[in-house]
Amino acid sequence: MTEAWKQAFTRVPELLAAHVQLSFSALLLAMALCLPLAIWAARTPKVAAVILGFASLIQTIPALALLALFYPVLLGLSALLGGGISALGFLPALLALTLYALLPILRNAVTGLTGVAPAAKQAADGLGMTAAQKLRLVEAPLAAPTIMAGIRTAAVWTIGAATLSTTVGQASLGDLIFAGLQTQNWTLVLTGCFASAGLAIIVDLLLGLIERAIRERRKIIAWGATAVIGIGLAIALLPALGGRGDVVVIGAKGFSEQFILARLIGSRLEKAGYQVRYHDGLGSAVVFQAVAADDIDIYVDYSGTIWTNQMKRTDPVPADDMVREIAKWSASKYGVTMLGALGFENTYAFAVRPEDAASKQLKTLDDLARVSSDFAFGTDLEFLERPEWAMVKAAYPIEFKEARSFNPTFMYPALSSGEVDVISAFSSDGRIAANGFVVLEDGKGAVPSYEAMLLVAPRRSGDDKFVNAIKPLVGAITVENMREANYKVDRETDKQSPRQAARWLDEQLKDGKDQ
Amino acid sequence: MAMNSTPSASGPAISLKSISRHYGAITAVDNVSLEIAAGGFVALVGLSGSGKSTLLKMINRLVDPSAGEVLIADENVEAFDPHVLRRRIGYVFQNIGLFPHMTIARNIAIGLELAGQKNGDRDGRQERVAELLELVELPQEMANRMPHQLSGGQQQRVGVARALATRPGLMLMDEPFGALDPVTRDSLAGQYKALHEKLGLTTIIVTHDMAEALYLADRILVMEDGQIKADATPAELLSGGVGDEAEALVAIPRAQAAHLIALGQTDGRKST
Ligand SMILES: Nc1ncnc2c1ncn2[C@@H]1O[C@H](COP(=O)(O)OP(=O)(O)OP(=O)(O)O)[C@@H](O)[C@H]1O
Ligand SMILES: [Mg+2]
């Protein structure tokens, strides 16, 4: 237990610094945008209605969706400007959080400025203040406590929402939460939650102190609290001055197999003398663009995913041809090198409870179609929107009673407990066999093949040392080994970390290959 | 602006030419024309809502006339940037309007601050603040207090001090002594009158107190429904024959005085 905590905490300082950098940049940007807008809005009620309406509208978009939306927007913008804009990582996270911070700051600033006593405003005019003097000497100081309260609200929101930036590939304390959720490592989840909540509470207290000091006109306290915030920021910003250098960034999507393979790749690269960092939890739409843009150096993807999502193909092709065509396509279109398939498949597998399989005689997807109107379907968060689901439905007359989406971690327990009757499992997942679930055959070959394969960013393609360090992994991982490694991380008891599972997997490779 | 031209009177002459101000269907000021001589002390009296404040605000452009024009020392006020114009006019607001986030000293000195007396002149400013506090009969230690720590009447006196700080030639005062007790009020009115005469200011004062108007001003204007219904010296007003509106206003202090005298006589008789 204490070992797990220690491991979780070693990642906190780095992620905390990234979290602080991100949320404060967003807050500063939002303030820079809002204050002039608020001044304009406070003078012109019509403008206020429009601006506040817009900000409220943004607030109704869930933070996660807002983050996801910036990805295509930035991609489009980058294409328009001839490249150079990174659609992943800091920039989209910054923009989304900035938009999210607008409402509280704007609303309070407009309220504060319009709420200045008319008598004071008229006196300012009567004494001969110019508009600028009136703003500086009267309106701004009188509105300051209200404005500060808005900034404080925005700060707390931003720090909370910044945990979601993990999904667009920006490091934050959310990395701990998302990784912990995937691997059911609650220590990791709690560490991430405590750290981000702690940060929010401390910032809230300090800003609250400043707000009160302004209200009561106690300059020393206001400056003292500002200085504490400044020092905290300076400490958080120090590592940013270092820059990325020649660190390899290994990408991973948000599930255990990806974490394990990333660590496996990482250990090989470390042995070859590279410094390695991990970018976990990238969405599958985002991760390919990330490798193409050199935001990450390498990651593992699955042939069917690239085939349907990136290449927009739906025609069934033999597995080997598919891998070959993907290699050609990614190299010519994006300069991304397909280094080779790892040797195992992780396809969508429809799994049912063994009792149902026996009593209802379920063997194939045709059998499933027969009973589907009585069945509740559990899937991961994206399957229902994926083309594979459309392909399955086109091939089999399946019509479920209901469909529910789960975080993959909770999908298997949901099937065991009878909450759902069939799930879209992953064929390399150790929990299928461990639970005794029965996988139904796709007799018509509706689901494309999902060979795991290594994709390398353009900037590493010519790096022989890099390629040679990874090359031995090609064709070296059996589906049995992968399942067992996954199960080590995913099981309920005696859980291992992805790094430990990767070490185990590495040993199996050596046993198989070198001896 | 030639506000300080005449040696005997530093205050400017004011001329209102057919000014009106409408608020939708309401006519707050209705085609008023008026000449006020340099160094004049004019009291503006009239019932609540008769347009006194509106008239006053049109002189320093806090309110723009719907029609007509305002000349100060023969120059149209429209010719100046509003803030330039207003810095040369002392204005005491009916609702005081002290800046709640500034000390009393800074409130009083704000006009000097705006005029660009920088930190180098801070001593000069402090002296001026002390001088003005004395004039409005407030203790010096109030300089460092905040407005909410003062009583209504004390705040009102700070408002007067603030208007006087930059030594303007023209003073527009909207019920400057309204919240004061009669003793302080009388003393302050006397002080102000002396100052007005010494500096040769031009002053327009709005008041609801007819006795005060009669005592202070050399000319009294009676407003009703946005129009000036009577324009007379205190003596003319007291002798009557200047119109019903004026008569009604003068009748009250006169009746009160008579009542007091009568009361004094009965009391005197009882006690003996
Ligand atoms: N900003 C405004 N909008 C609409 N109507 C106004 C406005 N200012 C004044 N009025 C109206 O104009 C008329 C004259 O108002 P003004 O303030 O000049 O009266 P006043 O003589 O100063 O009264 P008081 O003695 O109560 O201060 C009133 O009927 C008032 O309701
Ligand atoms: Mg008035």
Side-chain angles (χ1 to χ4, degrees):
Chain A
M1 190 63 192
T2 41
E3 184 56 32
W5 283 105
K6 216 187 281 170
Q7 258 193 7
F9 270 111
T10 51
R11 296 190 60 197
V12 168
E14 181 201 348
L15 294 176
L16 184 67
H19 203 98
V20 168
Q21 286 166 27
L22 173 66
S23 34
F24 274 80
S25 307
L27 197 63
L28 284 182
L29 190 57
M31 279 160 64
L33 280 173
C34 282
L35 298 179
L37 276 180
I39 290 167
W40 186 27
R43 304 225 185 297
T44 353
K46 265 192 204 141
V47 172
V50 172
I51 293 178
L52 285 176
F54 173 72
S56 310
L57 193 72
I58 288 173
Q59 211 67 50
T60 61
I61 305 174
L64 196 60
L66 198 62
L67 278 158
L69 277 178
F70 263 102
Y71 176 69
V73 169
L74 286 174
L75 267 190
L77 204 66
S78 186
L80 216 68
L81 300 177
I85 298 176
S86 168
L88 266 188
F90 191 74
L91 192 59
L94 174 73
L95 295 178
L97 290 178
T98 300
L99 280 184
Y100 220 54
L102 289 183
L103 182 65
I105 301 182
L106 262 182
R107 195 166 47 196
N108 277 47
V110 172
T111 309
L113 287 172
T114 49
V116 172
K121 281 197 270 194
Q122 197 177 49
D125 286 334
L127 284 159
M129 289 190 192
T130 59
Q133 285 170 329
K134 183 160 85 165
L135 181 66
R136 182 168 57 85
L137 295 170
V138 179
E139 289 168 308
L142 288 177
T146 314
I147 295 175
M148 200 60 215
I151 291 172
R152 187 175 158 200
T153 308
V156 173
W157 285 8
T158 308
I159 289 170
T163 53
L164 299 171
S165 64
T166 300
T167 50
V168 290
Q170 164 61 31
S172 75
L173 289 167
D175 288 17
L176 297 174
I177 299 171
F178 279 90
L181 195 60
Q182 286 308 324
T183 58
Q184 285 193 299
N185 180 338
W186 306 126
T187 316
L188 221 48
V189 174
L190 283 178
T191 306
C193 289
F194 284 147
S196 63
L199 178 65
I201 289 170
I202 289 169
V203 169
D204 186 48
L205 282 176
L206 285 170
L207 292 180
L209 201 62
I210 296 178
E211 182 193 329
R212 220 180 40 239
I214 294 177
R215 209 181 284 281
E216 292 164 8
R217 296 181 241 291
R218 294 159 75 165
K219 287 204 173 118
I220 297 169
I221 295 179
W223 286 116
T226 310
V228 172
I229 290 178
I231 291 167
L233 266 182
I235 293 171
L237 287 175
L238 279 181
L241 301 176
R244 177 167 158 186
D246 197 36
V247 177
V248 174
V249 180
I250 302 173
K253 303 187 196 186
F255 49 93
S256 307
E257 178 172 296
Q258 286 274 320
F259 301 158
I260 297 167
L261 291 172
R263 270 52 181 188
L264 178 60
I265 295 166
S267 72
R268 293 286 170 130
L269 287 171
E270 273 170 350
K271 250 176 248 160
Y274 288 93
Q275 254 192 298
V276 170
R277 252 182 35 210
Y278 299 98
H279 225 154
D280 291 338
L282 296 171
S284 44
V286 159
V287 66
F288 182 80
Q289 304 300 332
V291 80
D294 283 327
D295 285 336
I296 58 174
D297 293 294
I298 183 170
Y299 83 107
V300 173
D301 212 330
Y302 307 93
S303 54
T305 308
I306 301 281
W307 190 254
T308 53
N309 281 10
Q310 302 298 331
M311 297 166 72
K312 311 281 180 217
R313 306 251 317 236
T314 48
D315 47 325
V317 175
D320 290 349
D321 293 354
M322 192 189 268
V323 170
R324 224 171 297 126
E325 276 199 50
I326 289 173
K328 234 191 306 171
W329 172 84
S330 68
S332 65
K333 193 132 189 248
Y334 292 100
V336 171
T337 304
M338 205 288 289
L339 213 54
L342 290 172
F344 75 94
E345 233 195 309
N346 182 5
T347 188
Y348 283 102
F350 287 77
V352 294
R353 281 182 297 272
E355 311 89 79
D356 282 345
S359 67
K360 300 198 167 71
Q361 299 187 341
L362 305 176
K363 281 206 179 68
T364 67
L365 290 182
D366 277 313
D367 298 333
L368 180 64
R370 180 163 45 79
V371 298
S372 62
S373 59
D374 295 330
F375 268 34
F377 184 34
T379 76
D380 63 29
L381 299 171
E382 49 183 62
F383 185 71
L384 293 175
E385 307 306 326
R386 290 180 64 101
E388 291 86 348
W389 174 226
M391 294 173 189
V392 170
K393 278 200 294 190
Y396 305 93
I398 293 178
E399 199 65 59
F400 288 118
K401 185 175 69 179
E402 62 167 328
R404 292 173 57 187
S405 299
F406 294 88
N407 190 304
T409 307
F410 302 122
M411 196 167 68
Y412 296 90
L415 181 58
S416 311
S417 69
E419 266 184 82
V420 294
D421 306 301
V422 55
I423 57 172
S424 62
F426 302 103
S427 60
S428 61
D429 200 305
R431 286 169 290 194
I432 298 179
N435 282 296
F437 295 150
V438 175
V439 172
L440 303 176
E441 277 168 40
D442 171 18
K444 294 180 185 162
V447 179
S449 115
Y450 284 84
E451 290 287 339
M453 47 190 209
L454 292 159
L455 294 178
V456 178
R459 74 172 191 140
R460 294 290 180 190
S461 298
D463 184 342
D464 288 339
K465 191 172 83 164
F466 184 94
V467 171
N468 288 334
I470 303 301
K471 201 86 192 191
L473 296 178
V474 172
I477 303 176
T478 64
V479 72
E480 288 78 18
N481 282 340
M482 193 67 239
R483 266 188 204 144
E484 189 153 351
N486 285 339
Y487 193 59
K488 285 177 188 300
V489 176
D490 290 333
R491 65 191 170 200
E492 303 284 327
T493 54
D494 192 24
K495 294 169 89 58
Q496 292 191 352
S497 71
R499 193 180 294 278
Q500 288 169 316
R503 209 174 298 138
W504 176 86
L505 189 58
D506 205 353
E507 278 158 19
Q508 310 313 305
L509 304 187
K510 272 181 209 135
D511 293 349
K513 281 218 128 185
D514 301 345
Q515 287 165 19
Chain B
M1 204 185 297
M3 276 193 181
N4 305 316
S5 55
T6 357
S8 62
S10 67
I14 294 170
S15 162
L16 310 183
K17 296 196 188 296
S18 315
I19 55 167
S20 299
R21 171 70 208 202
H22 308 286
Y23 290 108
I26 300 169
T27 302
V29 172
D30 187 6
N31 194 21
V32 169
S33 293
L34 194 63
E35 298 292 333
I36 295 171
F41 201 138
V42 174
L44 204 51
V45 298
L47 300 180
S48 189
S50 56
K52 307 179 294 293
S53 297
T54 308
L55 186 76
L56 214 56
K57 285 177 185 167
M58 284 195 284
I59 297 174
N60 78 340
R61 293 190 63 186
L62 282 175
V63 168
D64 281 321
S66 312
E69 52 188 35
V70 177
L71 305 183
I72 298 180
D74 294 329
E75 289 187 81
N76 193 324
V77 292
E78 302 272 342
F80 300 93
D81 275 339
H83 71 273
V84 175
L85 176 82
R86 292 170 190 152
R87 282 181 195 180
R88 300 183 196 179
I89 300 173
Y91 199 106
V92 180
F93 290 90
Q94 188 172 6
N95 53 10
I96 310 172
L98 296 187
F99 301 122
H101 59 298
M102 295 181 184
T103 60
I104 297 305
R106 188 153 182 230
N107 261 290
I108 293 177
I110 189 78
L112 303 171
E113 191 178 324
L114 294 177
Q117 277 196 21
K118 284 288 161 216
N119 288 351
D121 295 317
R122 191 158 265 180
D123 287 346
R125 259 198 252 169
Q126 257 172 23
E127 265 169 38
R128 183 75 179 134
V129 169
E131 205 175 294
L132 288 160
L133 281 174
E134 201 178 309
L135 181 80
V136 296
E137 297 175 9
L138 287 175
Q140 291 299 328
E141 55 96 10
M142 282 196 178
N144 295 318
R145 291 211 208 157
M146 303 307 284
H148 74 268
Q149 295 169 316
L150 266 58
S151 75
Q154 289 168 338
Q155 289 182 26
Q156 202 166 41
R157 282 182 268 169
V158 174
V160 175
R162 181 174 69 176
L164 286 167
T166 53
R167 304 179 203 273
L170 171 59
M171 287 290 289
L172 307 175
M173 306 208 281
D174 202 341
E175 293 191 46
F177 308 129
L180 297 185
D181 65 277
V183 178
T184 315
R185 184 180 185 131
D186 188 55
S187 156
L188 230 62
Q191 292 241 39
Y192 182 77
K193 189 171 171 148
L195 193 73
H196 168 91
E197 274 154 17
K198 186 171 120 207
L199 300 178
L201 307 175
T202 304
T203 301
I204 306 178
I205 184 171
V206 172
T207 177
H208 281 291
D209 183 345
M210 196 61 188
E212 187 173 87
L214 291 167
Y215 164 66
L216 280 176
D218 47 36
R219 182 175 170 193
I220 295 174
L221 304 176
V222 181
M223 275 193 92
E224 194 178 299
D225 293 337
Q227 294 176 337
I228 294 185
K229 288 289 164 83
D231 178 352
T233 64
E236 286 167 348
L237 210 63
L238 285 172
S239 60
V242 287
D244 296 344
E245 298 83 5
E247 205 54 52
L249 287 167
V250 178
I252 294 165
R254 191 180 273 148
Q256 281 172 343
H259 182 67
L260 287 182
I261 291 164
L263 215 63
Q265 283 168 351
T266 26
D267 270 10
R269 226 174 289 150
K270 251 188 221 159
S271 63
T272 45

